[in-house]
Amino acid sequence: RKPNEPETEFDADLIPRCIIRPKYTIVNTKGKITASEEEFGFDLIPANITLADYDHHLSQLIISGKNYGVYMLTEIINRIKELYDYDYIIIDVLPGLNMIAYNALAACAPDGGVVAVINLDPSAIIGGQNLFKTIAEIQELLWNKNHIKHNGILGVLKNEYNPRLKTSQEIESQFEEKFGPAKIFNTSIPTKASCDKAHSKKRA
């Protein structure tokens, strides 16, 4: 932001320098490389430690009495759409409703929506219900102030899922009751132990 200017500006030439195409190597069961590096079919903008100060910066970005920080990511995403023809743009944020999360919620309107990733534990169920209420409030706010339609929750993804645990089965049975009529995805994210095991064996 430049002092006394009513709008923020971005240098679109910097965007390609932030985007990377991740690569992987194919290995056999003995851990030996059997092929050269291959590219995944997606681009990535990774986060780093400088993101820690971003939330505070956004909360202070006030121009002519209006908080532009809430819509900063929206402007960046719009510039990316002008440069690249992506099928999907996925924004991953940490749990919590801070300025970064509000940016992501605003940026996915009007074409996208929210996939709520909710752990299979009682406290996460309560947090998920609060998230639903917050997104409903954001939908109303975006429409009343800017006439922007927000699609809200597209579906719920179960996280830390272990079908062998009785507690997982009991909490899973509550999802339809607590989060309906939102779609409950059949796909789930396994427990961290399962992810660590796959990572150690270099398998997805």
Side-chain angles (χ1 to χ4, degrees):
R1 176 168 66 95
K2 297 178 181 179
N4 302 320
E5 288 194 356
E7 297 182 359
T8 56
E9 294 185 0
F10 294 96
D11 183 354
D13 293 335
L14 294 177
I15 292 177
R17 295 170 56 184
C18 300
I19 296 175
I20 64 172
R21 175 59 63 94
K23 296 181 179 181
Y24 67 95
T25 55
I26 300 174
V27 298
N28 60 20
T29 54
K30 296 182 180 180
K32 294 183 179 180
I33 297 176
T34 59
S36 58
E37 285 189 335
E38 300 286 343
E39 291 185 344
F40 284 101
F42 59 85
D43 289 340
L44 178 69
I45 300 180
N48 58 40
I49 191 62
T50 59
L51 194 63
D53 296 328
Y54 194 59
D55 194 76
H56 175 71
H57 170 72
L58 290 175
S59 65
Q60 301 298 316
L61 191 55
I62 299 174
I63 303 174
S64 301
K66 184 177 180 179
N67 189 332
Y68 278 86
V70 176
Y71 304 105
M72 182 68 69
L73 186 56
T74 301
E75 186 170 344
I76 296 172
I77 293 295
N78 288 338
R79 293 295 181 92
I80 289 176
K81 288 179 179 179
E82 294 173 1
L83 296 172
Y84 299 94
D85 186 25
Y86 289 123
D87 294 317
Y88 300 97
I89 296 177
I90 300 174
I91 307 167
D92 182 28
V93 298
L94 291 171
L97 294 171
N98 50 28
M99 284 295 291
I100 294 177
Y102 280 115
N103 260 257
L105 292 172
C108 67
D111 302 321
V114 178
V115 175
V117 181
I118 300 176
N119 287 9
L120 269 76
D121 68 67
S123 60
I125 296 289
I126 297 173
Q129 291 176 304
N130 291 337
L131 175 64
F132 271 57
K133 293 178 182 178
T134 299
I135 291 177
E137 292 171 359
I138 290 173
Q139 284 180 283
E140 184 178 358
L141 180 65
L142 287 173
W143 178 253
N144 290 340
K145 287 196 172 183
N146 300 307
H147 290 284
I148 297 175
K149 182 181 178 181
H150 194 294
N151 294 319
I153 300 284
L154 300 179
V156 176
L157 194 61
K158 292 169 284 189
N159 190 32
E160 293 287 336
Y161 181 68
N162 186 344
R164 298 179 181 179
L165 293 179
K166 184 178 180 180
T167 52
S168 291
Q169 297 172 5
E170 292 174 350
I171 296 174
E172 183 184 11
S173 65
Q174 301 177 26
F175 267 56
E176 291 287 350
E177 175 190 350
K178 301 295 185 181
F179 302 117
K183 177 180 178 62
I184 310 297
F185 293 114
N186 292 327
T187 302
S188 58
I189 302 173
T191 58
K192 187 176 183 298
S194 301
C195 295
D196 290 342
K197 185 176 179 181
H199 180 72
S200 66
K201 293 187 176 182
K202 296 182 171 60
R203 294 187 179 184

